[in-house]
Amino acid sequence: MGPWLALWVLLYLPRSLQGQNPHTPAAPSSVLQSFEDSKFQGEWFVLGLAGNTHTVADRSLLSPFTATFTINKNHLEVAYAMIRGQRCVTWSYKLISKSQPGMFSVDHSGEPGADPEEIQVTDTDYASFALLLSRRQSDLQSILRVSLLCRIWAIQTQLLGKFICLVRAQGLSDDNIVFPDLTDWSVLPRKC
């Protein structure tokens, strides 16, 4: 397959498979039949984000960042780290398992008035990539985010295709996709 045909397949085929109405968000499907917290643990690099509040103009605001998952007692904890200028920005929260494999509610118990949020790992091979779907309901709107996590600072074409398919299946467009600005990627978040 030539490079132009491969590009066409990557960009247009998922759109045609999406269904009759591209503006109707698909319900998250359980791609995972099981989920293993212990295999999911460790450091992940956030290499792609999409959401109904993101635009391509946000790219310059998004620095490369990491998500580190650890098991603490009976739940997963996730800690994020991002370099912003000369400072390190970190945030974290607990993920409480739900009955569906890979589905979690976010424990915002330390934040009064925080909006309810659910996170679903829709696909992962544990060793190289994971796709996460996050839904949060604020007073004014429903906030949807799709994240592409990788174990290394590189995106394989096949993973990019999976990410774009999930983004479009949620009723988002290519304009809602943001990739971190890797202009100065030598300063990795793990140095926080």
Side-chain angles (χ1 to χ4, degrees):
M1 179 182 322
W4 290 110
L5 182 57
L7 181 62
W8 179 86
V9 169
L10 180 65
L11 295 176
Y12 296 101
L13 184 59
R15 190 175 298 166
S16 67
L17 297 174
Q18 185 173 322
Q20 296 291 328
N21 187 349
H23 301 293
T24 303
S29 60
S30 176
V31 176
L32 302 176
Q33 299 301 311
S34 65
F35 182 78
E36 296 181 46
D37 294 358
S38 61
K39 288 184 177 181
F40 200 73
Q41 284 190 106
E43 185 175 56
W44 294 91
F45 300 104
V46 182
L47 297 185
L49 282 175
N52 59 347
T53 60
H54 298 312
T55 66
V56 175
D58 296 326
R59 181 180 181 266
S60 63
L61 302 174
L62 183 63
S63 299
F65 67 105
T66 60
T68 304
F69 292 83
T70 54
I71 297 175
N72 187 355
K73 299 181 184 173
N74 293 332
H75 61 270
L76 273 176
E77 289 185 2
V78 59
Y80 293 96
M82 175 188 293
I83 299 289
R84 281 277 172 149
Q86 297 298 320
R87 60 190 188 108
C88 179
V89 178
T90 61
W91 65 101
S92 63
Y93 47 79
K94 291 183 209 175
L95 299 174
I96 309 301
S97 293
K98 298 184 84 170
S99 60
Q100 187 175 354
M103 178 73 85
F104 303 90
S105 60
V106 176
D107 181 0
H108 289 291
S109 58
E111 303 172 36
D115 299 324
E117 183 176 358
E118 289 188 343
I119 293 178
Q120 181 180 10
V121 179
T122 63
D123 196 3
T124 186
D125 67 355
Y126 301 101
S128 62
F129 84 98
L131 293 172
L132 275 60
L133 179 62
S134 166
R135 294 181 185 278
R136 181 167 48 105
Q137 184 61 50
S138 74
D139 291 337
L140 302 175
Q141 69 177 342
S142 177
I143 299 171
L144 174 69
R145 267 190 337 262
V146 179
S147 304
L148 170 61
L149 308 181
C150 294
R151 294 285 190 182
I152 61 172
W153 282 106
I155 303 174
Q156 299 171 8
T157 305
Q158 178 187 8
L159 300 182
L160 184 59
K162 285 183 176 207
F163 173 65
I164 291 171
C165 283
L166 181 58
V167 166
R168 289 179 179 161
Q170 300 308 309
L172 300 172
S173 74
D174 293 352
D175 292 335
N176 299 115
I177 298 173
V178 180
F179 295 101
D181 184 358
L182 299 175
T183 306
D184 188 15
W185 63 271
S186 61
V187 182
L188 296 177
R190 70 176 98 169
K191 300 197 180 187
C192 287

